[in-house]
Amino acid sequence: MKITFFGSSHGYPEPHRRCSSTLIEVGENRYFIDMGTMSSEGLRNRGIPIESVKAIFLTHMHGDHTNGVISFLDICSWKFLKANPKVYFPCDPEKARGVINDWISLTGTKMRPFEFLEVAEGVIYDDGIIKLTAFKTLHTSVTPSYAYLVEAEGKRVLFSGDLCHKGPKEDFPLSVLEAPLDLAICEAAHFKATEYLPLFEGNENLKMLCFNHYSDRFLESVIEMTRLLPNIPVTRATDDMIITL
């Protein structure tokens, strides 16, 4: 499993850091967790076929996680006609379809009938290559928000998504730590990264920790976690960074 951070910033772009968008590659199959930036451009720059994207999973509907979806479906509707990604929305998928269709129609293009699905807790996707389980979180109230556990090639990776402002002790899906977890990709935009310490310290199941979607005001706490967890590799995501498991 290969994980590439197309965008590692938080609620808005920072210099040299785009908004949240993470590509997962398993063989020739590609999947996105969030699409807050122009991910089609990122794929083209890397020589990755647009048609290889099988699914897009949105953690919640905030723009820094979703603003790239319309542009992606737009280009798939008039240029890359063999692309057929499923899109998983944490809201009414037909309401999302109406909004996106109306926007794309303003360009004179008719949106193709992509498969839009609604996220709910539990296993939401399993194509025999990658399995994805959703855990509801408390970050949003108008529409739901979710963390995702991705399993592929014998590896388990958690994407925390955005958690509630009270911190991970109130909102982190602790059940994922009951089995070996090869990588936890956690946010640090709404609280200090050190608030994860009581959850991870001494847990032998966590093999690696990466902070993504972190803000500059909590950067020192992200760096501090590398000292506080000496037995676990801790890193912070930057745009274009790759982790291979």
Side-chain angles (χ1 to χ4, degrees):
M1 189 187 332
K2 180 179 175 182
I3 299 168
T4 304
F5 296 93
F6 277 29
S8 62
S9 193
H10 46 101
Y12 50 85
E14 294 282 8
H16 310 296
R17 291 176 61 206
R18 306 175 188 88
C19 287
S20 294
S21 184
T22 307
L23 175 70
I24 300 171
E25 297 180 80
V26 182
E28 298 301 314
N29 302 283
R30 278 87 181 193
Y31 312 83
F32 275 96
I33 303 291
D34 287 331
M35 194 173 275
T37 190
M38 289 283 288
S39 298
S40 55
E41 178 182 321
L43 292 169
R44 296 287 286 169
N45 286 340
R46 291 169 173 82
I48 298 173
I50 299 288
E51 296 86 352
S52 66
V53 177
K54 305 301 181 185
I56 301 164
F57 305 99
L58 304 175
T59 59
H60 61 290
M61 291 303 296
H62 286 166
D64 57 320
H65 296 258
T66 62
N67 283 341
V69 175
I70 292 179
S71 64
F72 191 82
L73 297 179
D74 179 17
I75 200 170
C76 290
S77 290
W78 67 269
K79 174 60 178 176
F80 299 100
L81 300 180
K82 293 183 179 180
N84 194 31
K86 295 182 179 180
V87 188
Y88 285 77
F89 289 92
C91 67
D92 180 349
E94 292 311 308
K95 185 174 182 179
R97 184 187 305 279
V99 171
I100 296 172
N101 183 68
D102 286 350
W103 183 273
I104 291 178
S105 69
L106 294 175
T107 71
T109 298
K110 182 178 180 180
M111 185 175 72
R112 290 169 49 217
F114 300 105
E115 188 173 2
F116 288 3
L117 301 106
E118 185 170 4
V119 179
E121 286 193 288
V123 177
I124 63 169
Y125 186 86
D126 189 348
D127 63 357
I129 299 168
I130 192 170
K131 177 181 175 181
L132 194 138
T133 305
F135 299 85
K136 195 171 183 179
T137 63
L138 303 173
H139 179 65
T140 53
S141 56
V142 176
T143 56
S145 56
Y146 293 91
Y148 292 133
L149 175 66
V150 175
E151 298 174 86
E153 300 182 316
K155 304 295 184 179
R156 300 173 74 243
V157 178
L158 179 80
F159 291 80
S160 76
D162 286 11
L163 304 177
C164 72
H165 288 72
K166 292 182 179 180
K169 66 180 180 180
E170 301 287 339
D171 209 15
F172 188 87
L174 288 172
S175 62
V176 302
L177 294 172
E178 295 173 0
L181 186 66
D182 296 280
L183 173 63
I185 300 175
C186 297
E187 70 122 325
H190 303 95
F191 44 79
K192 290 183 178 180
T194 48
E195 293 191 34
Y196 287 100
L197 188 61
L199 282 63
F200 298 151
E201 191 174 32
N203 190 300
E204 296 182 355
N205 281 328
L206 181 59
K207 307 304 180 186
M208 187 187 307
L209 174 60
C210 178
F211 286 102
N212 182 39
H213 196 70
Y214 54 89
S215 66
D216 289 346
R217 63 175 175 155
F218 295 139
L219 180 56
E220 288 186 9
S221 71
V222 172
I223 296 171
E224 187 178 6
M225 285 291 279
T226 64
R227 177 181 64 82
L228 295 174
L229 291 174
N231 297 322
I232 301 174
V234 180
T235 187
R236 56 188 170 96
T238 55
D239 285 20
D240 303 320
M241 189 176 90
I242 296 171
I243 295 177
T244 303
L245 298 175

